[in-house]
Amino acid sequence: MNWTGYEGRDIGAWRLGSFLGERDYRAFFVARPLSGGDPFLMQVAAPGPAGDALGASWNRARTLPEENLLRMHDTGSAGLDGTRVNYAVFDLPDDDLSEVLAARRLDTAEARSILAAVAAGLSYLHGRGVQHGAVTPQNVFLVGSHAKLGVDSLSPTGNEEADLKQFGSMMLAAFSPQNDPAQLEPPFREIALGFLNSAGERGWTAERAARALSPERVPAAHSPSNKKKWIPLAAAAIPLVVLGSWWLGRSPRPEPQTPVPQSPPPVAVSTPAPTPAPVVEQQKPDPTRPSPSPARAAEPAPKNERPVRNRNDQSKAWAVIAATYNSYSAAGKRASALKRQSPSLNPRVFPEEGKGKQYYVVFGSGLTQDAAAQLLQTARQQGAPRDAYVTKLER
C-alpha cells in the first residue's frame, strides 16, 4: 500500500498526520483525535493473515490495562481506498531501547529501571496465560519516565519459557557486547543465567526478576532521578516504533559533508530508561565530528536533544531539520507531504539534487538559533515529526 498517500486522511475518530515509517505489513503515523488534542502513535496493518494476527493481538491487549504495557487508546478496522485495514492507537513513545543501546550501554540504575518494568509487564501477562512472543529491545518503548512493553505479538499460548529466554538475551544485549553472562554484575548475572537455562539457578520467573530488579533496591543516590529528555521518534521510528523513518520517522542526522549541520548532545535515559516497531530507526550521529570507529561504537552517540546554546552565537545559519533521506526524490516526497499538511512551514529539500550524500527536509533557513528553536516548537504543534531538531547549516 502507498502509505505516504494517507497523510491527512481520517480513520475512525482519528486523523492521520505525519507518516513515520513502515515495517513489514504495517505503517506508523502520528495521529490526532478529530476533536483535537495531543498527538498519538497509530499503527495501521495491511490486510492479510499477518495483519489479522496483529489486530487480534491489539484486541487482546485492550483487556490488559497494565502500566508496564504500552498504553492503547483505541483499536478497530476501517477502509482505506476500498481496502479494509486494522489499526491501533497508542501513547506516542519518545524512543525505544534498541535506539538507546545503539548509542551506548546502560548504566546500572537505568538498566534496573527498564528491566524491572519489562519483568513486571511479563509477570502480568504470564499471570493471565498470555505469551508476549517478542521480548526484544525494539519492543521496549520509552514513554516519558517509563519503559513499556509493546503489545503487537500477544498470544494465548502462555509459553513463559520462550519469553524468559528472550528476556535473558535482551539483558546480555544491554550489558555484554560478547553475550557473556559472566560479564554481568548481580543480580543481572543470576537472572540471565536462570532465564537462559545455563549454569544458573532454576526457578527464576518474571515476577521474581521484577522483585530482584526493583529500583527501590538501589540507594537513592544512584537512582535515575535526574530527568534527561528523549526526543521522540519520527520518520523511522516506529522507527515508533518504528517507531522507523519512528518512533518510526527517524533518520540519521547529517554526517560531515556539505552542508555540515551541528547536532545536539548525547541522549540520556531517565527512569526507567525508550523511535517505532517502531520501524527501523537509525542513530543520528553528531555531524560536526567524524563517525566513531568500530572500537568506539559503544560510546554515547549524540542524538535527540537540542544543541547546547551559545548565547554569543548571533549567526543566521540555523534551520530545523525534519527528516533525512538517502535520495533526493524520497526527501522531495516527504517535503511535499509536509507542505500539504502545514503550508506555512514551507519545507524544502537541502542540498540541491546531486550535491549531497544525504538530503534533508528543512524548515526555515538563515535563522538565528533562538528563532530556529521557536520555529521548531511551532512545527511540532503543527504535526511535524517529533524528532525534528535545530541545527546549523554551514556551507
Side-chain angles (χ1 to χ4, degrees):
M1 300 181 70
N2 180 22
W3 297 116
T4 58
Y6 295 122
E7 289 182 329
R9 298 280 290 274
D10 295 345
I11 291 185
W14 306 86
R15 175 156 296 161
L16 297 179
S18 300
F19 170 67
L20 299 176
E22 61 184 294
R23 178 189 297 166
D24 301 327
Y25 47 86
R26 60 184 139 164
F28 301 82
F29 293 87
V30 172
R32 293 178 183 270
L34 293 179
S35 58
D38 294 333
F40 293 84
L41 172 68
M42 178 180 282
Q43 294 191 41
V44 183
D52 291 342
L54 190 56
S57 179
W58 290 337
N59 288 332
R60 187 171 291 110
R62 293 195 71 172
T63 67
L64 303 170
E66 155 65 10
E67 64 178 357
N68 294 300
L69 302 179
L70 186 61
R71 183 182 177 192
M72 177 183 291
H73 296 271
D74 191 16
T75 184
S77 61
L80 283 177
D81 294 340
T83 301
R84 206 71 186 167
V85 297
N86 294 315
Y87 69 89
V89 180
F90 303 92
D91 283 343
L92 185 60
D94 299 307
D95 216 330
D96 68 56
L97 182 55
S98 67
E99 284 293 300
V100 175
L101 293 179
R104 61 181 179 82
R105 296 289 164 186
L106 302 178
D107 64 34
T108 300
E110 293 169 336
R112 276 186 176 271
S113 297
I114 296 174
L115 297 177
V118 172
L122 278 182
S123 176
Y124 176 87
L125 293 175
H126 292 169
R128 285 150 185 79
V130 177
Q131 178 185 356
H132 186 275
V135 187
T136 64
Q138 293 88 342
N139 279 326
V140 177
F141 297 106
L142 308 179
V143 183
S145 60
H146 300 280
K148 296 176 181 286
L149 271 172
V151 293
D152 298 338
S153 54
L154 306 185
S155 64
T157 59
N159 186 352
E160 297 183 14
E161 183 177 356
D163 283 351
L164 297 181
K165 284 186 176 180
Q166 291 174 346
F167 192 6
S169 296
M170 188 172 70
M171 293 179 71
L172 291 181
F175 282 105
S176 173
Q178 290 77 34
N179 287 330
D180 180 7
Q183 295 184 355
L184 305 185
E185 60 183 81
F188 307 106
R189 180 191 305 121
E190 291 78 7
I191 298 172
L193 288 173
F195 283 172
L196 294 171
N197 293 328
S198 300
E201 177 188 351
R202 306 301 183 198
W204 277 98
T205 63
E207 181 181 7
R208 182 182 175 189
R211 292 196 304 267
L213 291 166
S214 172
E216 296 177 0
R217 293 176 175 243
V218 182
H222 298 289
S223 62
S225 57
N226 55 325
K227 215 168 171 180
K228 300 171 187 172
K229 299 214 173 201
W230 309 308
I231 302 241
L233 314 150
I238 270 102
L240 171 140
V241 218
V242 182
L243 279 194
S245 164
W246 139 293
W247 123 202
L248 290 177
R250 290 186 202 174
S251 39
R253 291 197 180 176
E255 302 201 1
Q257 61 175 32
T258 304
V260 182
Q262 177 178 322
S263 179
V267 66
V269 183
S270 71
T271 310
T275 49
V279 175
V280 178
E281 303 181 3
Q282 302 178 30
Q283 176 185 344
K284 300 179 179 179
D286 186 339
T288 64
R289 296 193 294 267
S291 300
S293 64
R296 300 177 57 192
E299 295 182 13
K303 56 170 283 184
N304 285 349
E305 289 189 356
R306 296 180 190 173
V308 175
R309 297 196 175 193
N310 177 0
R311 293 297 180 183
N312 296 321
D313 184 355
Q314 300 299 320
S315 64
K316 294 186 176 181
W318 294 83
V320 175
I321 303 297
T324 307
Y325 292 88
N326 291 327
S327 73
Y328 182 87
S329 61
K333 290 179 181 178
R334 183 69 173 136
S336 297
L338 289 171
K339 191 167 186 177
R340 289 194 300 271
Q341 177 182 324
S342 303
S344 63
L345 295 177
N346 194 28
R348 64 188 180 89
V349 179
F350 188 87
E352 297 177 4
E353 186 172 8
K355 294 188 177 181
K357 294 180 180 179
Q358 290 183 319
Y359 296 91
Y360 316 117
V361 179
V362 177
F363 298 144
S365 62
L367 304 175
T368 64
Q369 187 174 9
D370 285 339
Q374 292 176 3
L375 177 59
L376 174 62
Q377 296 304 312
T378 300
R380 286 183 178 151
Q381 292 171 4
Q382 296 185 25
R386 289 187 63 191
D387 69 340
Y389 61 98
V390 171
T391 192
K392 199 172 191 179
L393 294 179
E394 295 180 345
R395 294 181 178 276

